[in-house]
């Protein structure tokens, strides 16, 4: 992929930042969002040297994806900056309360907040960016999932059910819009050494975890191929476990 | 029956966009046959019947920006509302759309629930005056006045590109209308085709269309083609200023869109514009000095010979207004009014979330 317009939510840290870097280095125009302006600033300045050679560019938008009032302005601003959006990566995500509680000890308000960030945010942003994709008959939407969407890990309840919902959302989008040129995937990136991982499991051995930059490079290959074949009117697999997409990248 | 007095004008509490999703499916459709004058009342869901394979529906992909800004006029300390009308470059006839400098309209602060007619008292404005915003990094400066009108200052943002963007999208609000029951949010003013953030008022003819309907059209072999028209403010609340409207507006018709339209013309198929913005964009692009994008001041009327379109799908246009004159380009006025009489009798609604009218050679 080169010279594409790309929106990555939660692009100021972890996997989102690594993906932004990889896409910019490959000559793409990337908008990243995040809540903390300082983190966004740092991300932007960290990326500059690579920019100049590749022809790619990075733009930041301060936005909380869990808020309806911030999703729609973000979509408009991103389209204004990029001209067109080819690829949307719904990557920003909330674990909910940490330490992770049992469901029986959790509050419904916390569940609500997790769903706002992990399901409603991606739904709204996708909806806001779809018109351009449908009119051009071209686009790829990536929803970042997790193995917690499939395995019922105790204490990962809010997060796990939100990711399961996001997986299913991806399948239904895909079903409804088959043959319209817009493709959907849900991807479990696998366990990575990021803030989210250590917030969930503080004593996790970093040696068991992937480096998000390596994951981003592999995902770049996988997504480039997927984007290339987006118009194929077959019944493509929508959800990919960490092993499944790795096998194809 | 006199349709001029019977038209259902905007009732104070009616036009709430919240109802638009429910209304979408049962919106009325008045079809007017452009060659015979035959007209009929049906439902928007019947739209595909009026199309066949190879026909083209041209839609306006403009997204509506939050063009209403709350500011303080620094010299007088007075709070004001500025409504962005069109980028200054576009006003000057250039082809770029830039967010840096704008022709704007100034309103006294008041509440937007007040009618704009009551909000015309503003302090003395001078070239060089500054407006302060909620964002300390962003100021606006008056660089001139359109037609020497105090209420139509040309303003330039004094801010870096990134601050300007984030200011506009964070602090700007969609332009509000006093007859709406609820505040309009940014998502209320986007159409199903909203892509390019250039319109300051929503291209409202598209509100009732759904992708379900678009897919049904595509299934019939109809091509949905996007063009861009930066739909602008339609009233400033003062007849003297309204005479200056519409100001030149940005439009763009891409190479692919042009080719599809030319192809359809070559095989004698319909090219229907959805909304007057799409119509102005296509007719501008296919005009004498054909350009793919730029500034348009083209006003459609009875003397205009259609060059790109063969028909129009649009809202119910207010009586006696320039809006109605535009339709003269598509159908003789008496035939339109005969159709409008049927629509009045059928209880059609005449506001931006109201019912629709298709004027075509196959209606
Ligand atoms: N790390 C893993 O082991 C792992 C495993 C499986 C799946 N995943 C998935 O991979 C994705 C990336 O995770 P990560 O580990 O890279 O996370 P991370 O290191 O915690 O980074 C999250 C990013 O998202 C932003 N963000 C969080 N909430 C946001 C909100 N409401 N609005 C906008 N931005 C927001 C953060 O910036 P601000 O805080 O400034 O907003 C930050 O840039 C997530 O979808 C996660 O579920 C991760």
């Amino acid at each position: 992929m080169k010279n594409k317009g790309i929106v990555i939510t939660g692009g100021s840290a972890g996997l989102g930042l690594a993906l932004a870097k990889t896409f910019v280095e490959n000559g793409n125009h990337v908008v990243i969002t995040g809540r903390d302006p300082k983190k966004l600033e740092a991300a932007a300045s960290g990326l500059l040297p690579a920019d100049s050679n590749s022809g790619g560019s990075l733009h930041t938008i301060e936005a909380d994806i869990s808020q309806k009032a911030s999703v729609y302005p973000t979509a408009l601003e991103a389209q204004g900056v990029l001209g067109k959006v080819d690829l949307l990566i719904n990557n920003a995500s909330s674990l909910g309360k940490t330490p992770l509680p049992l469901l029986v000890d959790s509050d419904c308000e916390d569940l609500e907040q997790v769903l706002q960030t992990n399901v409603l945010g991606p739904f709204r942003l996708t909806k806001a960016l779809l018109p351009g994709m449908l009119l051009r008959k071209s686009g790829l939407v990536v929803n970042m999932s997790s193995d917690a969407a499939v395995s019922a890990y105790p204490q990962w309840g809010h997060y796990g059910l939100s990711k399961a919902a996001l997986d299913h959302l991806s399948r239904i989008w895909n079903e409804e819009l088959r043959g319209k040129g817009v493709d959907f995937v849900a991807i479990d990136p696998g366990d990575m050494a990021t803030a989210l991982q250590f917030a969930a499991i503080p004593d996790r051995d970093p040696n068991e975890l992937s480096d998000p930059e390596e994951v981003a490079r592999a995902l770049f290959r996988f997504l480039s191929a997927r984007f290339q074949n987006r118009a194929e009117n077959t019944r493509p697999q929508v959800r990919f476990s960490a092993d499944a997409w790795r096998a194809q990248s | 029956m006199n349709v001029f007095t019977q038209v259902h004008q905007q009732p104070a509490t009616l036009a709430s966009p919240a109802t638009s999703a429910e209304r979408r499916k049962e919106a009325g459709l008045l079809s007017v046959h452009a060659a015979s004058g035959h007209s009929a009342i049906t439902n928007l869901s019947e739209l595909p019947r009026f199309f066949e394979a190879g026909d083209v529906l041209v839609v306006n992909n403009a997204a509506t920006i939050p063009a209403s800004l709350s500011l303080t006029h620094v010299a007088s300390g007075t709070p004001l509302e500025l409504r962005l009308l069109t980028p200054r470059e576009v006003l000057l006839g250039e082809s770029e759309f830039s967010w840096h400098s704008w022709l704007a309209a100034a309103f006294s602060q008041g509440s937007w629930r007040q009618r704009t007619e009551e909000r015309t008292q503003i302090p003395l404005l001078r070239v060089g005056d500054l407006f302060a915003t909620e964002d300390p990094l962003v100021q606006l400066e008056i660089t001139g006045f359109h037609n020497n009108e105090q209420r139509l200052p040309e303003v330039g943002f004094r801010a870096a590109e990134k601050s300007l963007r984030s200011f506009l999208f964070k602090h700007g609000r969609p332009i509000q209308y006093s007859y709406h029951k609820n505040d309009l949010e940014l998502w209320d003013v986007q159409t199903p085709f909203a892509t390019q953030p250039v319109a300051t008022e929503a291209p409202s003819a598209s509100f009732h269309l759904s992708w379900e309907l678009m897919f049904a059209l595509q299934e019939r072999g109809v091509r949905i083609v996007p063009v861009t028209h930066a739909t602008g403010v339609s009233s400033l609340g003062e007849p003297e200023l309204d005479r200056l409207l519409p100001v030149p507006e940005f439009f763009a018709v891409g190479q692919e869109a042009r080719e599809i339209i030319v192809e359809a013309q070559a095989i004698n198929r319909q090219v229907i514009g959805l909304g007057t913005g799409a119509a102005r964009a296509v007719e501008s692009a296919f005009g004498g000095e054909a350009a793919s994008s730029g500034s348009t001041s083209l006003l459609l009327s009875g003397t205009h010979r259609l060059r790109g379109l063969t028909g129009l799908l649009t809202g119910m246009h207010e009586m006696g207004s320039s809006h109605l004159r535009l339709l003269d380009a598509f159908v003789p006025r008496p035939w339109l009014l005969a159709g409008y009489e049927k629509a009045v009798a059928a209880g059609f609604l005449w506001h931006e979330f109201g019912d629709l009218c298709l004027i075509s050679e196959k209606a």
Side-chain angles (χ1 to χ4, degrees), chain A residues 41 59-63 68-70 72-77 79-81 83-84 128 130-137 176-177 180, chain B residues 59 61 63-66 99 161-162 165-166 169-170 185-187 190-197 211 215 218-219 223-226:
Chain A
E41 196 91 349
H59 314 267
T60 61
I61 299 179
E62 187 189 324
K68 185 174 183 180
S70 110
Y72 286 84
T74 298
L76 289 196
E77 189 176 342
Q79 296 193 115
V81 169
K84 67 182 166 60
L130 262 176
M133 294 182 176
L134 287 172
L135 286 170
R136 280 183 290 112
K137 297 207 180 83
E176 289 188 347
L177 300 179
K180 312 294 185 208
Chain B
V59 305
N61 70 359
T64 310
I65 63 170
W99 287 335
E161 138 92 21
K162 183 171 175 298
R165 271 199 280 121
S166 72
F169 287 101
K170 235 178 231 105
E185 299 292 349
L186 198 53
W187 52 87
Q190 306 307 331
T191 74
F193 313 114
T195 309
Q196 301 299 330
W211 275 100
F215 294 152
Q218 283 176 337
E219 222 121 272
R223 308 186 69 171
I224 313 293
V225 173

Side-chain angles (χ1 to χ4, degrees), chain A residues 61-198:
Chain A
I61 299 179
E62 187 189 324
D64 181 343
I65 221 65
S66 70
Q67 303 297 310
K68 185 174 183 180
S70 110
V71 172
Y72 286 84
T74 298
L76 289 196
E77 189 176 342
Q79 296 193 115
V81 169
L82 297 173
K84 67 182 166 60
V85 178
D86 299 289
L87 172 60
L88 163 63
I89 305 183
N90 288 308
N91 166 80
S93 191
S94 167
L95 268 180
K97 275 264 163 67
T98 52
L100 297 171
L102 292 175
L103 278 180
V104 66
D105 295 325
S106 70
D107 294 324
C108 55
E109 288 77 9
D110 294 334
L111 172 58
E112 245 173 62
Q113 183 266 317
V114 170
L115 293 175
Q116 287 287 350
T117 309
N118 299 1
V119 183
L120 280 112
F123 171 72
R124 289 184 179 124
L125 190 57
T126 304
K127 197 170 127 67
L129 293 176
L130 262 176
M133 294 182 176
L134 287 172
L135 286 170
R136 280 183 290 112
K137 297 207 180 83
S138 169
L140 174 59
V141 179
V142 180
N143 290 323
M144 280 303 163
S145 183
S146 160
D147 57 342
V150 179
S151 303
Y153 298 131
Q155 295 178 306
W156 289 74
H158 293 175
Y159 178 82
L161 72 90
S162 75
K163 292 295 188 181
L166 188 62
D167 280 357
H168 208 52
L169 181 63
S170 316
R171 291 190 193 96
I172 296 170
W173 279 128
N174 195 63
E175 228 22 71
E176 289 188 347
L177 300 179
R178 165 152 329 128
K180 312 294 185 208
V182 186
D183 193 11
F184 293 81
V185 275
I187 289 177
D188 170 11
D191 288 356
M192 300 168 290
T194 67
L196 180 137
Q197 177 65 239
F198 294 115

